[in-house]
Amino acid sequence: MLIASLFLLWVIVILLAVAVVALARQVRSLQDRPASTGTHRTARGRGGIAPIVSAPTLAGDMLTIGGPSADGRAMLLLFIRPGCAASRSAIRDALALTDRKRLRLLFLGEGRVEEYGDLLRQHRIRETDIILNAEVLGDYRAGDRPSAALIDARGRLLARGVVEERAQLDALLAHIGPHDEAEEVERIGAPS
């Protein structure tokens, strides 16, 4: 009887050790994974320079992303995928929120133009406001889920993150401070 209980005790200790190791590995993998429930600042922090990339819009115009803005507005890059319900929701939210903030909204994706036809018509997205280029997505490290990057008028990458819900987009847009908006109003109101 004593030998059986001692054997059972050792089996329990070994199982507990295996469970602790498995739990530690799971916690480590969660810590290593980028945050997916909200936005996060870039590794360089506020004020890091956004990658400067040139790519053609669907209208055929060459557009430069990053660097100082020609019109003095901040830019919100929204990375979307056709046929994705979360992307459709993110587009609706971004269109509503950027109107109030007076931001330039640019949509980025990859694939064929035909895949985006319904999306463009449904949300009345102009061909000058969408770029389909996998290299641009790579430069801004866009993932499989709808995400966004916020660039101020000076070309600084303020924030980047997943925007599957409106609250996440609100949190990302909160990185435009009152100073940035006041600067924008001064530029708009300044005589030419």
Side-chain angles (χ1 to χ4, degrees):
M1 184 71 162
L2 182 61
I3 294 175
S5 62
L6 192 57
F7 177 74
L8 184 59
L9 181 63
W10 275 107
V11 169
I12 291 172
V13 167
I14 291 171
L15 288 175
L16 281 174
V18 169
V20 166
V21 169
L23 185 61
R25 288 184 69 197
Q26 186 67 26
V27 167
R28 194 174 315 121
S29 72
L30 287 174
Q31 288 174 340
D32 291 342
R33 188 170 42 180
S36 62
T37 56
T39 61
H40 57 279
R41 291 181 189 222
T42 62
R44 290 173 282 198
R46 187 174 176 96
I49 302 299
I52 299 174
V53 183
S54 291
T57 64
L58 290 187
D61 306 329
M62 282 303 284
L63 185 65
T64 300
I65 302 168
S69 171
D71 60 5
R73 293 187 295 172
M75 181 180 285
L76 178 66
L77 305 176
L78 186 62
F79 308 106
I80 57 173
R81 303 232 180 264
C84 172
S87 283
R88 289 183 187 276
S89 175
I91 291 169
R92 278 191 303 273
D93 294 340
L95 287 169
L97 291 172
T98 54
D99 248 2
R100 290 187 298 193
K101 293 269 190 183
R102 283 175 271 149
L103 295 170
R104 167 87 195 267
L105 179 58
L106 184 63
F107 300 95
L108 290 115
E110 63 182 338
R112 296 187 327 267
V113 176
E114 299 82 35
E115 297 171 343
Y116 289 84
D118 289 340
L119 207 59
L120 294 170
R121 282 187 295 279
Q122 180 183 2
H123 297 287
R124 296 186 185 129
I125 298 171
R126 298 177 309 202
E127 290 185 345
T128 56
D129 292 335
I130 186 165
I131 292 176
L132 300 181
N133 189 309
E135 291 175 18
V136 176
L137 293 175
D139 287 339
Y140 280 91
R141 289 184 251 143
D144 290 336
R145 295 182 297 188
S147 58
L150 183 62
I151 303 171
D152 74 359
R154 295 184 192 135
R156 296 176 299 171
L157 184 57
L158 297 179
R160 153 178 70 221
V162 175
V163 290
E164 292 177 323
E165 299 173 5
R166 187 175 182 127
Q168 293 170 324
L169 188 57
D170 279 331
L172 188 126
L173 291 176
H175 286 89
I176 293 184
H179 175 69
D180 297 324
E181 288 181 356
E183 217 171 75
E184 180 183 327
V185 170
E186 281 178 23
R187 282 196 190 108
I188 293 170
S192 302

